[in-house]
Amino acid sequence: MNKLTIYLHVGTDKTGSSALQNFLDVNRDNLLLRYSCLYPNFDSKKMHTGRHHNHTKWYQDIKDDRDFLSDIDRMVMFCQKNRISKVILSCEGWLVKQSVPQRFRLVQEKFPDVNVKMIVYLRRIDSWIESAWKQRGIKNFASINEYIAQPGIGERFGNLLSALELWESCIGKENITVRAYEKQQLPNGLAADFLSCVGVDYDSFEWEPNEKTNLALNYGFNRDVLEVLHLSRGLLSGKSDNHLFDLFSELLGEEFQKKPFDSLNLLPPATRVELIEKNRPYEEEIARKYMGREDGRIFFDPLPDPEEPWQPYEGLTLEKTIPIVVKLIEENHGLIREKELRNQIRHFRFVQPFVKIRDFFRKRLH
C-alpha cells in the first residue's frame, strides 16, 4: 500500500485549537472525498461519519497500549481499504503529555507503512498568559500575578522545549513542525496554515464555515465580562467547570467578545518584557532546532516598551455592569419565551387533533 501519514495536531492550548478542530469536524466529508484525508470519528463504526470535535476524550478513555494500538489498527485498516493517504488527529494537550509521543513511537514500530508527523503552534508567553488567565486562571486565583507565580506558568517555554525533545526522541526531529501563533505569521488564517502543513491547498475549495458556537470560536470576553466571571468564581465547582462561561457565551452578543489576537492589556509592559526575557533562551533553541531559524526568533511582533504608560484595570462600575446584567436577563427571557412558544406549537400539533376527535364523539353521543 502507499504510505499513510498520521498528522498529529498537538496544540498548544490558547492557539485557536477549538476553531481549527471545528473546521476539521464540519469539513470531515470534504477532506475525505476531495483530498483523501481522514479526520476520524472513533465513536463511529464507519470511522468517517458523524460529529467528533477532537480526539481528547478518545485518548482519555484508552486503558492501555493494547487498546490504543487496537484503535490505530482499525483506523489503518479503514485507510487501506478506502485508499486514504492522510489522517489528522487533534488534541491541544498532547504536546506535554508524555505518554502520547511514546505511544506514537509504538505506531511507527508496529506499522511500517505509517509515518507519524507532529504539528504544534506556539504563542508568545505574555499573550499566552493573558489568554490562559481569562479561561482558567480567573476560576482559581485572586489575581493574574498569583496565577503567573504557579509552577510552569511564567517559565513555560522551558517545559515546551523539554516536551519537543521527548517528541524528537520518539518520532524524529524531521517529523516535527513548529509554527508561530501570531497574526502576521498566519496571513490567511489558522485553518489555511494548518492545511498547508498537511499538504492540502486551502484556496482550492469552498470550505464549510465554522459554526457560531463557543466551542467552535472560543473568542472569550471583554475585560468587564471577565471581571464579572472572576467575581462569580465561587459559583464554580472547580477548574473544569465551564457552565458560567457557556451561559455567558450563549446569552451575550459580539459586543461583549474579544477577538483573536486582541490584547486585554492585563499585564504592565515591564512585566511582559520580564516574562519574554525569562523564556528567551528556550524560545531561541526551539526556533533554531525545530524551525530552522538561525536568528532564534519564533515571534515577529515588536517587543513591549517597558516605559510605555499603562494603567491597571479600574474595576467594575455600575455603568459597566448594568448593560451586562440587563443583556443576560433580556436574552434569557427571550429564550424562555421561545421555549414557551415551541411548547404551544407542539401542543397544538399533537393535542388538538385528539381534542377534535373527542368533541366529535361527544356530539354523536348527544
Side-chain angles (χ1 to χ4, degrees):
M1 64 165 286
N2 293 329
K3 202 166 184 71
L4 173 67
T5 302
I6 300 176
Y7 293 93
L8 305 176
H9 170 240
V10 300
T12 55
D13 61 317
K14 314 315 302 172
T15 59
S17 295
S18 294
L20 177 59
Q21 289 161 350
N22 185 251
F23 172 85
L24 296 170
D25 192 17
V26 299
N27 283 287
R28 177 176 282 105
D29 289 342
N30 294 326
L31 287 165
L32 183 66
L33 297 176
R34 295 184 62 90
Y35 301 99
S36 185
C37 181
L38 175 68
Y39 190 59
N41 179 359
F42 287 100
D43 293 334
S44 169
K45 291 182 179 180
K46 295 183 179 181
M47 193 68 70
H48 67 291
T49 59
R51 296 297 303 275
H52 200 74
H53 180 66
N54 61 35
H55 301 99
T56 302
K57 186 176 185 304
W58 163 71
Y59 193 83
Q60 289 174 341
D61 291 344
I62 290 171
K63 297 180 176 62
D64 51 34
D65 290 349
R66 181 181 298 179
D67 279 354
F68 171 75
L69 289 173
S70 175
D71 280 351
I72 296 297
D73 184 57
R74 180 165 68 96
M75 183 184 74
V76 170
M77 290 180 63
F78 177 86
C79 292
Q80 290 174 341
K81 181 179 179 181
N82 294 278
R83 298 182 179 180
I84 294 169
S85 59
K86 300 172 183 177
V87 169
I88 298 173
L89 301 177
S90 178
C91 173
E92 69 175 25
W94 276 353
L95 176 67
V96 295
K97 192 173 182 62
Q98 292 188 1
S99 65
V100 181
Q102 293 166 349
R103 279 180 169 163
F104 279 100
R105 174 167 56 188
L106 293 177
V107 172
Q108 290 193 319
E109 293 171 354
K110 181 176 174 59
F111 302 93
D113 291 318
V114 172
N115 190 30
V116 176
K117 294 181 177 290
M118 181 268 273
I119 303 167
V120 62
Y121 287 83
L122 303 181
R123 186 169 185 169
R124 201 172 76 178
I125 183 65
D126 54 330
S127 176
W128 177 82
I129 283 176
E130 278 197 351
S131 189
W133 159 259
K134 73 181 178 61
Q135 182 172 332
R136 293 192 295 270
I138 64 173
K139 298 177 184 178
N140 300 289
F141 300 97
S143 70
I144 190 170
N145 290 325
E146 182 182 327
Y147 178 62
I148 293 172
Q150 301 305 303
I153 301 299
E155 63 281 1
R156 172 176 171 79
F157 274 80
N159 295 333
L160 296 179
L161 175 58
S162 297
L164 285 167
E165 290 173 339
L166 177 58
W167 277 94
E168 179 184 352
S169 70
C170 291
I171 67 171
K173 186 171 73 171
E174 69 278 7
N175 292 315
I176 294 175
T177 298
V178 176
R179 307 290 288 173
Y181 185 74
E182 191 174 66
K183 190 172 185 179
Q184 65 171 301
Q185 298 190 59
L186 301 171
N188 299 314
L190 178 62
D193 187 81
F194 179 81
L195 289 186
S196 71
C197 294
V198 304
V200 174
D201 182 7
Y202 178 85
D203 293 327
S204 65
F205 185 69
E206 189 76 23
W207 302 95
E208 292 294 324
N210 277 32
E211 296 167 319
K212 294 186 179 300
T213 63
N214 187 43
L215 178 65
L217 301 176
N218 199 17
Y219 282 163
F221 306 105
N222 66 26
R223 189 64 185 87
D224 298 326
V225 176
L226 282 180
E227 189 65 14
V228 173
L229 287 166
H230 187 213
L231 295 173
S232 304
R233 63 189 184 277
L235 301 176
L236 301 173
S237 61
K239 61 182 181 181
S240 298
D241 185 352
N242 291 316
H243 82 273
L244 285 182
F245 290 75
D246 293 339
L247 177 66
F248 278 37
S249 293
E250 183 179 7
L251 298 180
L252 294 177
E254 292 185 3
E255 61 185 297
F256 296 98
Q257 291 179 340
K258 183 196 81 68
K259 296 297 185 290
F261 302 107
D262 286 353
S263 174
L264 290 168
N265 204 27
L266 299 176
L267 297 170
T271 300
R272 294 170 62 196
V273 170
E274 181 183 346
L275 288 165
I276 292 168
E277 290 302 321
K278 183 186 296 185
N279 286 271
R280 186 185 298 280
Y282 309 110
E283 281 190 32
E284 290 178 347
E285 187 162 357
I286 291 171
R288 294 192 183 101
K289 191 173 183 180
Y290 298 105
M291 303 177 78
R293 296 181 176 181
E294 291 305 316
D295 63 359
R297 294 180 66 195
I298 298 177
F299 308 104
F300 298 159
D301 282 349
L303 296 177
D305 178 359
E307 302 301 323
E308 179 186 348
W310 179 84
Q311 293 293 329
Y313 176 64
E314 63 180 7
L316 286 172
T317 62
L318 279 177
E319 288 78 7
K320 293 179 178 180
T321 308
I322 288 175
I324 298 171
V325 174
V326 170
K327 181 69 172 179
L328 289 170
I329 295 172
E330 180 185 39
E331 291 298 319
N332 189 57
H333 177 71
L335 290 176
I336 293 172
R337 291 292 301 144
E338 183 179 335
K339 183 177 180 181
E340 290 175 347
L341 181 59
R342 286 200 303 267
N343 288 337
Q344 291 173 3
I345 293 172
R346 189 180 298 113
H347 175 84
F348 179 80
R349 286 179 177 174
F350 295 101
V351 177
Q352 286 298 108
F354 293 100
V355 172
K356 291 180 179 179
I357 294 172
R358 181 201 63 189
D359 292 343
F360 171 78
F361 282 106
R362 280 181 175 175
K363 291 179 181 179
R364 293 294 298 268
L365 289 172
H366 285 84

